[in-house]
Amino acid sequence: MPDDIFSLMRDSIIAGAPDTATYLARKAIAAGTAPLDAINNGYVPGMHDVGEQFARGQMFLPDMMASAEAMRAAMAVLDPELKKLGADRPTSGVVVLGTTKGDIHEIGKILVGTLLTAHGFQVHDLGADISGEKFAAKAQELSADIVGVSALLTTTMRNQKTVIEALERSGIRAQVKVMVGGAPVTRRWAEEIGADGYAKDAMSAVALARELMNQKTGPRTPEPIGSGKVV
Ligand code: B1M
């Protein structure tokens, strides 16, 4: 049964069918499926197929947009369920999150923010297409512990560096940890630009954020919650 529903979820993304994606997400929650399992085993594999088809020229931009819409519809159901898991927990740290300037991809970044929230972090999501100055200003305003910068394009990942430069210019680089991620980003790139850490997916981002907080303040992060597969 779960495998069937996961493959239907995947198909709903490939077909760009938001109503079906919503229906399946609600059905899965009602049946007791962990929201993160639905995301990781159903919807995300669908997005990956879409990306591969687009790269091969078998899918075009409007189709990809419809798929993104279906993913958003599923997340609108699953997001609150994930966040409920983190309600009333002590704050693990303050995170300012966003996608770099020139880049409007934000599904993965939203997922990272949701999982961080579910694990007790206080997340301020600036959205997509965010300049280094905006990241720095928000981090300063909130005395953020971590700045998280996502980039999905090879042309915009260099703007992760401009965020670090903006933090340096505003004099707060030493007080905040910077984590980077996104499909084209690598550990090596993170090191090259002077970020404090790289995470390949949303679950690793939670582990990394905890590690960065430990480096800042010593261990104080609550135990993992949610699906058994979270960490
Ligand atoms: Co675009 N796009 N897209 N796209 N898109 C990609 C990224 C692409 C790989 C597709 C392809 O060619 N195969 C390609 C980039 C090529 C490259 O540069 N290497 C591409 C392109 C070319 C483009 C346009 C240029 C197309 C065009 O206009 N000709 C254009 C760019 C617009 C712009 O930004 N200026 C464009 C537009 C779009 C849509 C608007 C249609 C839509 C985005 C909708 C939205 O987000 N609001 C879209 C989509 C949906 C995709 C694909 C299909 C899916 C992205 C996604 O949501 N994945 C993508 C192909 C792919 O990635 N397979 C593609 C699901 C998500 C859960 O995964 O985002 O990787 P991901 O996030 C993961 C990890 O990367 C990580 O954790 C997440 C969860 O596990 N992670 C972090 C992400 N951020 C992190 C931050 C962290 C830590 C981990 O710490 C801070």
Side-chain angles (χ1 to χ4, degrees):
M1 159 73 177
D3 282 350
D4 288 350
I5 201 164
F6 291 152
S7 73
L8 290 172
M9 286 168 171
R10 178 177 158 276
D11 292 348
S12 73
I13 298 299
I14 295 168
D19 291 349
T20 310
T22 303
Y23 166 76
L24 292 169
R26 288 197 182 126
K27 190 172 162 182
I29 294 299
T33 304
L36 196 55
D37 286 344
I39 293 169
N40 285 337
N41 301 325
Y43 297 109
V44 167
M47 282 315 291
H48 283 147
D49 279 12
V50 166
E52 279 166 23
Q53 289 188 37
F54 180 75
R56 288 196 298 265
Q58 291 166 345
M59 195 180 245
F60 300 102
L61 196 56
D63 307 314
M64 195 155 82
M65 290 175 85
S67 294
E69 204 42 56
M71 183 80 191
R72 279 175 168 282
M75 288 300 290
V77 176
L78 299 171
D79 218 47
E81 298 297 327
L82 272 172
K83 283 181 176 155
K84 269 184 213 164
L85 302 172
D88 304 328
R89 314 185 86 227
T91 299
S92 304
V94 176
V95 182
V96 168
L97 189 64
T99 306
T100 54
K101 185 84 194 147
D103 195 330
I104 60 168
H105 295 88
E106 61 172 349
I107 294 167
K109 181 258 307 165
I110 290 171
L111 194 47
V112 169
T114 299
L115 285 202
L116 286 172
T117 305
H119 286 82
F121 286 87
Q122 205 180 312
V123 177
H124 296 265
D125 189 339
L126 295 171
D129 188 20
I130 304 300
S131 68
E133 286 69 28
K134 276 196 185 153
F135 273 102
K138 191 48 100 179
Q140 193 155 27
E141 178 194 327
L142 301 173
S143 301
D145 297 299
I146 298 174
V147 168
V149 194
S150 178
L152 263 286
L153 298 170
T154 41
T155 48
T156 59
M157 53 189 266
R158 71 181 68 133
N159 292 336
Q160 291 179 322
K161 189 170 184 216
T162 66
V163 175
I164 294 174
E165 288 165 352
L167 292 169
E168 282 163 359
R169 274 197 304 279
S170 56
I172 58 166
R173 177 66 184 100
Q175 286 88 60
V176 289
K177 296 288 182 184
V178 177
M179 61 191 261
V180 293
V185 178
T186 60
R187 189 172 305 281
R188 193 172 167 176
W189 169 251
E191 284 166 9
E192 199 177 314
I193 63 173
D196 299 299
Y198 153 78
K200 72 170 175 20
D201 57 34
M203 289 180 284
S204 330
V206 173
L208 173 62
R210 285 194 174 131
E211 169 57 25
L212 294 174
M213 288 307 296
N214 287 346
Q215 287 173 17
K216 274 197 86 177
T217 61
R220 66 177 173 120
T221 313
E223 286 305 301
I225 51 157
S227 149
K229 292 183 180 169
V230 168
V231 290

